[in-house]
Amino acid sequence: MPQDREIAELARLIERSRQAVVFTGAGISTESGIPDFRSPGGIWTRMAPIDFSDFLSSEEARRETWRRRFEADDTWRNAQPNRGHRAIAELVRLGTVAAVITQNIDGLHQASGIPAEQVIELHGNSTYAHCLDCTRRYEIADLRVGFERDGTAPLCEACGGWVKTATISFGQAMPLEAMQRAEIETRAADLFIVAGSSLVVYPAAGFPELAKRNGATLVIVNREPTGLDPIADLVLHRAIGETLGAAVGVN
Ligand SMILES: [Zn+2]
């Protein structure tokens, strides 16, 4: 299909939808300068991710986790939502999109203006931290001051528990509430748009399959082919921002 026909078809499907869900992965945020950790050359091909059990059992692993997070801090702090995020935010504002399910941990959907309660974060959020015991919230910038002063991993001021970014680490259980909400929204959707996910990480990648089984129209926008392309109703191997921006009419 020619590119303008693909965009027109996507616009038509969005127009026709009464309740859509957008599912996003690293591909939307690389357009904001956030590296895709899993991609070839990505950080996880150079440095092994730290398993949650190691974080719990080893001060060295905790220090290394925080050292990496602060090293990446400039990237995180300077990243801004791009045209793809803005197009999705517009669909949420219009009421077409009821929820955004994301594998990303960068908070850029919220930064684009989508209310936090409409963003379902399957892998948590790296833009703040919390105590693993009492869930008290901590800001990264505050923790960095203490880390640079004494080089030890932060402890909760309230209860003494370990403080960790609010992400889901390898070896850590998937967040039950987020998974349940994602399933409810997926089942309710008549249109399910994947934007920038290669759909290889389960259980997250099960949501587009569930949507399709449940009768929703499935659209995949991703630069590379995905394993679910064969069951999708429309596949666009294109950049996210220009594709969603053109289909929604957002610059
Ligand atoms: Zn605590």
Side-chain angles (χ1 to χ4, degrees), residues 130-138 155-163:
H130 61 191
C131 170
L132 291 175
D133 290 335
C134 74
T135 75
R136 179 167 170 173
R137 177 174 166 138
Y138 290 87
L155 293 174
C156 179
E157 291 164 5
C159 78
W162 305 122
V163 176

Side-chain angles (χ1 to χ4, degrees), residues 52 55 65-66 69-70 76 105 123-132 138 140 143 154 162-169 172:
F52 186 57
F55 185 92
T65 300
W66 279 107
R69 177 60 185 80
F70 295 132
W76 289 105
I105 57 176
H123 298 166
N125 190 311
S126 183
T127 66
Y128 63 95
H130 61 191
C131 170
L132 291 175
Y138 290 87
I140 302 294
L143 298 174
W162 305 122
V163 176
K164 180 179 168 295
T165 56
T167 49
I168 308 300
S169 296
Q172 194 171 0

Side-chain angles (χ1 to χ4, degrees), residues 91-105:
L91 292 176
V92 171
R93 194 187 66 78
L94 293 170
T96 307
V97 167
V100 177
I101 305 170
T102 188
Q103 298 173 290
N104 298 335
I105 57 176

Side-chain angles (χ1 to χ4, degrees), residues 8 38 58 70 110 119-120 125 127-128 144 151 160-161 171 184 199 214 217 223 248:
R38 291 184 178 82
S58 157
F70 295 132
Q110 294 92 324
V119 181
I120 302 171
N125 190 311
T127 66
Y128 63 95
R144 187 171 184 166
I184 290 167
L199 301 175
N214 209 40
T217 301
R223 278 185 170 279
V248 178

